[in-house]
Amino acid sequence: MPTLEDVAARARVSTATVSRCLNSPDQVSERTRQRVMEAVRDLGYAPNFGARALAAKRTNTFGAIIPTMENAIFARGLQAFQDELQANGITLLVASSSYDPDREEDQIRALVARGADALLLIGHDRTAQTYDFLDRRGIPYVVAWVHDNSVRRHSVGFDNFAAMKALTEEVLAQGHRNIGVITAERSGNDRARERFRGICSALSDHGLDPADLLIEETTYSIDNGAERFARLMDQTPRPTAVLCGNDVFAAGALMKARDLGLRVPQDVSITGFDDIDLAGIVTPGLTTVHVPHREMGRRAARRLLALRAGDDPGPGEELETTIKWRQSLGPAPT
């Protein structure tokens, strides 16, 4: 195995210069850095961070556990999160729980056992034992994609309840009263529960009974969104608007509407949530809730870095969402 001394000899510099080049490249001239990195590549040298990690009691590795890798809902935020960490010399390890709380708990313990200095988690729903495990180990963590003033944990996110309530208000303002909902499974998913609660609150404020909602609950996929939309369209009377808990469901609903010969929004309106790239590509364009995913990822990374350094970044950060109007929402049919 090539050593630091081998790299130094190959690049004709001192071992201290090689170390600076690898750990603080901004302190080395560009010409020297290129020579050292060429030697690193030629020799196949990989720094051994084990002893350094043991001495510093940190590995410069953070973990992130997201519910799924099968769609783009978390992609933007996670990319910004990783970019911010990389700029600070942190390596990111990512795991997917597939919305399985037991699997997520195993992944949390596995990342901690492998020396993760800090963790990014999605949503607050997990057992008290899991939080106790992290607290006892002294592992900093930040919860993202949610903001709840009643929960005293470090978080960076948005108010899912308020965001979906605002969108539902716009749907009601268009005259829709017979409304269908396609939601993610709400058990163990506080984001889905809060969005559904926002819909119910808006209906109640307008004197409507949330019990009259036509509800389809399913797992994340475009095909599932299409299937559940078809079920809603089989109802009598069928809904004039379908509120989807995310853009993935809504894309499936738009696809199925076309298959069924339904015009959107003339025959039925469809809305989403997240404003992923897909929302602007589908036809018609999807009216949805815009979530500042990238800013959320950046701020979550900065908060974790501050927590690991022993700083107090203050209370959780709430980010604003906005309604992105496109063509899929229109007046209720007369």
Side-chain angles (χ1 to χ4, degrees):
M1 296 289 291
T3 65
L4 190 74
E5 289 75 13
D6 295 331
V7 174
R10 181 69 168 259
R12 302 186 304 280
V13 298
S14 68
T15 55
T17 297
V18 175
S19 293
R20 279 196 299 273
C21 206
L22 295 174
N23 299 306
S24 304
D26 56 317
Q27 297 180 11
V28 183
S29 71
E30 180 64 19
R31 184 176 179 181
T32 299
R33 191 188 68 80
Q34 288 182 358
R35 196 162 72 244
V36 169
M37 295 312 296
E38 183 179 349
V40 167
R41 287 190 296 269
D42 289 347
L43 293 171
Y45 173 73
N48 180 3
F49 292 109
R52 186 186 311 165
L54 287 172
K57 295 185 179 180
R58 62 175 57 174
T59 63
N60 286 333
T61 299
F62 284 11
I65 303 174
I66 61 174
T68 179
M69 294 183 184
E70 292 188 355
N71 60 58
I73 289 174
F74 301 103
R76 288 179 180 173
L78 198 61
Q79 183 64 54
F81 180 74
Q82 177 176 269
D83 290 345
E84 189 72 23
L85 294 183
Q86 186 174 4
N88 286 273
I90 305 295
T91 299
L92 176 64
L93 300 178
V94 181
S96 170
S97 68
S98 299
Y99 292 94
D100 182 336
D102 291 334
R103 178 183 292 186
E104 189 204 45
E105 183 170 350
D106 289 342
Q107 291 167 336
I108 288 173
R109 292 177 180 274
L111 286 169
V112 171
R114 284 162 174 76
D117 295 335
L119 295 177
L120 175 73
L121 305 173
I122 307 299
H124 289 295
D125 274 8
R126 55 190 53 83
T127 65
Q129 289 84 353
T130 299
Y131 285 118
D132 184 62
F133 168 77
L134 292 171
D135 292 339
R136 285 177 178 273
R137 290 295 190 99
I139 305 297
Y141 61 88
V142 166
V143 176
W145 267 265
V146 293
H147 179 80
D148 185 344
N149 285 321
S150 68
V151 180
R152 304 305 298 171
R153 298 189 188 104
H154 288 286
S155 66
V156 178
F158 56 95
D159 189 332
N160 285 269
F161 167 83
M164 185 59 98
K165 182 174 182 178
L167 180 60
T168 307
E169 294 278 0
E170 297 294 347
V171 171
L172 294 171
Q174 293 293 316
H176 296 279
R177 294 298 181 267
N178 190 18
I179 295 173
V181 177
I182 304 175
T183 175
E185 294 177 342
R186 287 166 282 173
S187 176
N189 185 335
D190 52 357
R191 288 91 60 212
R193 281 200 311 277
E194 287 300 290
R195 293 175 195 182
F196 182 76
R197 195 168 69 86
I199 295 172
C200 294
S201 179
L203 293 177
S204 296
D205 287 352
H206 283 75
L208 303 173
D209 188 352
D212 293 334
L213 281 171
L214 301 172
I215 305 165
E216 292 289 339
E217 184 173 300
T218 187
T219 55
Y220 282 96
S221 79
I222 289 178
D223 288 343
N224 285 346
E227 177 193 358
R228 297 311 173 100
F229 177 82
R231 290 191 190 185
L232 290 172
M233 293 300 103
D234 280 340
Q235 302 295 317
T236 303
R238 70 188 185 195
T240 63
V242 175
L243 280 72
C244 299
N246 58 72
D247 292 343
V248 172
F249 288 160
L254 287 171
M255 179 179 67
K256 181 55 70 171
R258 185 169 57 249
D259 292 345
L260 296 174
L262 296 172
R263 300 169 300 162
V264 179
Q266 294 89 343
D267 299 322
V268 60
S269 288
I270 297 171
T271 64
F273 197 109
D274 285 313
D275 197 23
I276 60 176
D277 291 340
L278 184 64
I281 296 173
V282 292
T283 302
L286 185 62
T287 296
T288 185
V289 173
H290 174 77
V291 174
H293 296 101
R294 292 190 177 92
E295 184 62 20
M296 185 163 49
R298 280 191 289 269
R299 293 197 190 190
R302 292 168 188 166
R303 179 168 286 263
L304 269 184
L305 289 165
L307 288 171
R308 191 188 68 157
D311 298 333
D312 181 6
E317 298 175 69
E318 181 177 5
L319 304 182
E320 294 295 322
T321 60
T322 56
I323 295 174
K324 182 67 176 182
W325 275 88
R326 296 190 180 94
Q327 298 77 38
S328 70
L329 173 60
T334 56

